[in-house]
Amino acid sequence: MFKETIYKTLALGDRFNVAFPDKRIPNGYIDKTKTRIGITYTCFHDDRDSISIIPSVPIIEDALLNYPYLKLFEVKKKVTPEMIAEYLESDVQYKRIVTTPESFGKIISAAISIGKLQRLYETFFLYLDEAHCYASEAFRDDILIPFDYEHDYVYKFENMAMGTATSFQFSDPRIKNLSRYKMIYKEKFGKITIVNNYNPQAVMHQMLTNPDLFPGNVHIFFNSVTMIGQVIKVADISNVNIYCRDDERNMANLQDTSVFFKDRPREGEFQKFNFYSCRYNEGWDLKDDSTATIILLTDVRVPNSLIGIPFKGYQAV
């Protein structure tokens, strides 16, 4: 069992700072219940040295785009431990590092190389965003590096928190022993309509060829780049965007529909129909008006489209 839970009652429009007026993430396990309430924003803007471990690349991309004034230090593929060590020794007042779990080890290596590992543990706040991903995305090579069983990096930080809107009941007793916070809301989040059909793609075709069914833009989460291309081609539509990872394989799978590819979602650039791969199921702000419709499409005949509703599904809608 977790420690006794501290509940924070919020209204739907409230942000993280309503629950924590000091605008500082407390140590512990934070169950947000609702996505995008501003916990990563709070971490980035706090006046202290911090490391944010973020499993979702779009969150990092959004942060770099939206907060250039913070000069976040992104640890990515081409960033070496030597470059990180130089940053750690710089005179930057508040060092703000963002990394994926897979690259976290380079930060540890950098701190060791300059003899400042213990200082890292003592003075940096460590925040693990989208904490459920360490269970729901365990298939990712090296995602568990922060939880290295030999060195226990995560638990050596004096100030550390985990946050998620889709809480996972971890078995690790050290997580269970963290202080636990849970946001609860006065209002319902909204209404979901479930369409159960033996041929989901036929249902999607009906929707794509009858755009007047929807008053605003339509955002469709379907984790199959190949099938996204096929349903667009069969429907013979052009008022569409496709958002997925920009790589050679995806472009080949999209074939002729690759002309509809966009490198990232941007407010004001949406088409009537907008398709997203699983890359965009969580961790970014979809900014559209109240007439927009969100569709989560799964098909038992397309195995990789079958995402877990309590985690990726909940995050998407």
Side-chain angles (χ1 to χ4, degrees), residues 65-127:
L65 180 68
N66 295 331
Y67 318 128
Y69 52 88
L70 292 178
K71 298 181 179 179
L72 300 172
F73 186 88
E74 180 189 8
V75 179
K76 52 187 176 181
K77 186 175 293 186
K78 294 183 179 180
V79 173
T80 65
E82 291 74 21
M83 296 164 68
I84 300 169
E86 182 179 350
Y87 178 73
L88 291 174
E89 292 194 304
S90 71
D91 59 0
V92 174
Q93 184 178 12
Y94 300 115
K95 297 177 176 65
R96 299 179 171 101
I97 301 174
V98 291
T99 180
T100 59
E102 290 85 349
S103 292
F104 175 75
K106 292 193 284 188
I107 301 172
I108 299 298
S109 297
I112 292 173
S113 72
I114 56 176
K116 291 187 176 180
L117 181 59
Q118 190 58 38
R119 183 176 181 278
L120 196 77
Y121 291 145
E122 293 173 355
T123 63
F124 275 73
F125 172 68
L126 179 69
Y127 175 59

Side-chain angles (χ1 to χ4, degrees), residues 178-287:
L178 295 173
S179 297
R180 181 177 171 87
Y181 301 86
K182 182 172 177 58
M183 315 302 183
I184 55 177
Y185 293 86
K186 303 171 184 177
E187 308 100 329
K188 298 290 185 182
F189 287 2
K191 182 179 180 180
I192 294 177
T193 300
I194 299 175
V195 179
N196 187 10
N197 191 283
Y198 74 96
N199 191 349
Q201 293 179 53
V203 176
M204 180 53 55
H205 179 80
Q206 174 72 9
M207 294 177 176
L208 295 177
T209 53
N210 290 276
D212 292 342
L213 291 172
F214 307 98
N217 296 328
V218 184
H219 302 273
I220 305 159
F221 294 84
F222 186 24
N223 192 38
S224 173
V225 172
T226 300
M227 298 312 298
I228 287 174
Q230 288 189 22
V231 296
I232 291 172
K233 189 172 183 178
V234 171
D236 192 25
I237 59 173
S238 58
N239 54 344
V240 60
N241 286 338
I242 300 172
Y243 301 99
C244 62
R245 186 182 301 278
D246 183 7
D247 61 32
E248 186 176 345
R249 180 181 177 184
N250 280 344
M251 296 306 109
N253 287 338
L254 287 172
Q255 299 181 12
D256 294 344
T257 61
S258 63
V259 297
F260 302 120
F261 167 79
K262 297 292 183 182
D263 62 341
R264 65 191 310 273
R266 292 182 176 86
E267 186 177 5
E269 295 184 4
F270 295 124
Q271 290 283 355
K272 181 65 178 182
F273 296 104
N274 305 274
F275 281 87
Y276 304 85
S277 71
C278 195
R279 172 183 172 88
Y280 290 100
N281 270 43
E282 58 188 329
W284 62 285
D285 288 326
L286 198 169
K287 297 178 181 178

